[in-house]
Amino acid sequence: MASVVQEVRNKQVVLKNYVVGFPKESDMEIRDSKITLKLLEDSNDSSILLKNLYLSCDPYMRGRMSTHDRPSYVDSFIPGSPITGYGVSKVIESTHPNYKTGDLVWGLTGWEEYTLITSPQEAQMFCKIEDKDVPLSYYTGILGLPGLTAYGGLYELGLPKKGDRVFVSAASGAVGQLVGQFAKLAGCYVVGSAGSQEKVDLLKNKFGFDEAFNYKEEDDLDATLRRYFPEGIDIYFENVGGKMLEAVLPNMRLHGRIPVCGMISQYNLVEPEGVHNLFNLVSKRIRMEGLLAFDYYPHLYHKYMEMILPHLKEGTISYVEDIVEGLESAPAALIGLFSGKNVGKQLVVVARE
């Protein structure tokens, strides 16, 4: 007699409708669905059933909460369906040749307790976790795409040299905290900006930045930057945009480099702000270039892991996480990114392994 496979509850975070302006927790809701914790006998050879453990909250997800007139580098979420994002999961069952029951993976998964992967394209978005001597949550951040973004953006585009003067905005976030530490490893002078005294102290005392300031307490950003960089800025790692970028441009040095990782000040505006001072790109021959983590994955990932894991295990690189418990806390955690509530990498614990 065939055994009966029971369905279990699958709690999900669902986007209710597309968002205009600043997102709210009420734009999302928690729903219960059902899932069978066993693959069907006729499942294809790319099927993976996952139990989600940790979910990453990332600023780029704001763009996915809106619909776009023009093509974007990432698709919009589908209202009425679970949000998706990067996370750490455990394989419950798999027909995929690269994964077996019990494997730990990181990749693009659902904001839900369990996720069923059925297509080869979806399966390709996962990476098996081989090194488990570090916290699994790190694969949402320093050992995942935020870490690779910091590494590729700084070293491939910023091209740091000993003695370079480096400025990092949103410096206490998932990417910024790493950019500053990597720049220090390269022998640079590093200054970061953040939105609270707690974060400023973290930058100087935990991450080893030479200086840091609270941009909310500075009336004249141009004067602030001249104070910290009297000889100008060689590398500006851009995470903010808007008024910060406008102030940075006149303070850049000849042949300066600006890796553009994000512009979080613009994500919730119905009409993005324009930027003045762009002629400095010409007069100072500044190289300003955007980047995405996928520019460096997978070809740089192995090299990055060889660099970062020894630093982590020896304690020469620090990483700070802001962790909330439970899917019910996920909407508030995501929205909090855009008002600077998080201190460090924001993530959600769905389940402990």
Side-chain angles (χ1 to χ4, degrees), residues 24-61:
K24 307 178 295 297
E25 289 181 51
S26 58
D27 292 320
M28 295 167 273
E29 65 179 355
I30 306 296
R31 289 186 187 171
D32 283 345
S33 66
K34 296 286 188 180
I35 190 169
T36 301
L37 296 186
K38 187 167 182 61
L39 295 177
L40 298 176
E41 291 184 4
D42 59 353
S43 296
N44 63 37
D45 60 3
S46 296
S47 297
I48 313 170
L49 183 59
L50 299 169
K51 178 181 181 180
N52 294 316
L53 306 178
Y54 299 95
L55 298 176
S56 176
C57 298
D58 297 298
Y60 84 90
M61 297 172 74

Side-chain angles (χ1 to χ4, degrees), residues 160-173:
K161 305 182 299 294
K162 185 176 182 179
D164 274 352
R165 303 155 183 85
V166 178
F167 176 48
V168 186
S169 57
S172 67

Side-chain angles (χ1 to χ4, degrees), residues 30-330:
I30 306 296
R31 289 186 187 171
D32 283 345
S33 66
K34 296 286 188 180
I35 190 169
T36 301
L37 296 186
K38 187 167 182 61
L39 295 177
L40 298 176
E41 291 184 4
D42 59 353
S43 296
N44 63 37
D45 60 3
S46 296
S47 297
I48 313 170
L49 183 59
L50 299 169
K51 178 181 181 180
N52 294 316
L53 306 178
Y54 299 95
L55 298 176
S56 176
C57 298
D58 297 298
Y60 84 90
M61 297 172 74
R62 171 61 188 87
R64 302 191 68 191
M65 298 174 79
S66 298
T67 186
H68 303 284
D69 297 331
R70 299 180 181 181
S72 175
Y73 70 93
V74 63
D75 292 336
S76 297
F77 295 134
I78 300 172
S81 297
I83 286 171
T84 58
Y86 287 90
V88 174
S89 310
K90 187 173 186 176
V91 177
I92 296 175
E93 195 172 0
S94 170
T95 60
H96 195 288
N98 293 348
Y99 306 105
K100 65 181 187 300
T101 299
D103 281 348
L104 293 165
V105 298
W106 68 267
L108 192 62
T109 191
W111 274 35
E112 54 191 350
E113 292 176 289
Y114 302 96
T115 296
L116 176 61
I117 303 298
T118 57
S119 75
Q121 293 77 19
E122 290 176 316
Q124 286 177 349
M125 301 298 289
F126 286 89
C127 178
K128 187 185 294 187
I129 294 174
E130 304 289 357
D131 196 306
K132 300 165 191 163
D133 294 335
V134 293
L136 283 178
S137 59
Y138 278 13
Y139 287 91
T140 68
I142 187 170
L143 300 181
L145 293 188
L148 190 60
T149 299
Y151 178 78
L154 181 66
Y155 289 110
E156 297 291 306
L157 301 185
L159 305 173
K161 305 182 299 294
K162 185 176 182 179
D164 274 352
R165 303 155 183 85
V166 178
F167 176 48
V168 186
S169 57
S172 67
V175 174
Q177 60 175 288
L178 293 173
V179 172
Q181 292 181 84
F182 294 166
K184 289 302 299 178
L185 290 176
C188 302
Y189 166 77
V190 182
V191 177
S193 65
S196 71
Q197 188 58 47
E198 178 187 7
K199 294 178 181 180
V200 167
D201 292 341
L202 192 67
L203 294 177
K204 294 197 289 187
N205 300 329
K206 179 78 171 178
F207 301 136
F209 283 57
D210 294 286
E211 294 289 350
F213 63 89
N214 181 353
Y215 70 90
K216 294 178 181 177
E217 296 181 348
E218 301 293 337
D219 297 326
D220 185 339
L221 288 172
D222 177 68
T224 301
L225 292 173
R226 281 189 275 114
R227 186 167 73 247
Y228 287 106
F229 296 98
E231 298 180 28
I233 300 167
D234 293 293
I235 302 170
Y236 170 46
F237 200 95
E238 167 68 300
N239 289 309
V240 170
K243 299 299 181 185
M244 186 65 79
L245 175 60
E246 195 169 289
V248 164
L249 288 169
N251 286 283
M252 292 295 294
R253 287 166 59 86
L254 199 65
H255 299 296
R257 287 84 68 200
I258 305 179
V260 183
C261 174
M263 293 190 173
I264 197 168
S265 71
Q266 306 299 297
Y267 295 165
N268 298 309
L269 301 180
V270 176
E271 290 294 332
E273 296 172 333
V275 176
H276 297 90
N277 300 328
L278 287 175
F279 191 72
N280 285 280
L281 297 175
V282 178
S283 61
K284 297 183 178 183
R285 280 82 88 200
I286 297 166
R287 179 181 176 182
M288 183 174 177
E289 184 173 348
L291 66 128
L292 298 173
F294 289 110
D295 296 337
Y296 311 113
Y297 184 86
H299 67 283
L300 271 187
Y301 186 64
H302 181 69
K303 180 181 177 183
Y304 171 62
M305 291 292 279
E306 287 183 336
M307 183 278 282
I308 195 63
L309 282 171
H311 281 295
L312 267 179
K313 293 174 182 180
E314 293 163 11
T316 50
I317 289 285
S318 297
Y319 200 62
V320 170
E321 299 174 312
D322 193 327
I323 301 174
V324 300
E325 296 275 347
L327 276 171
E328 298 87 349
S329 303

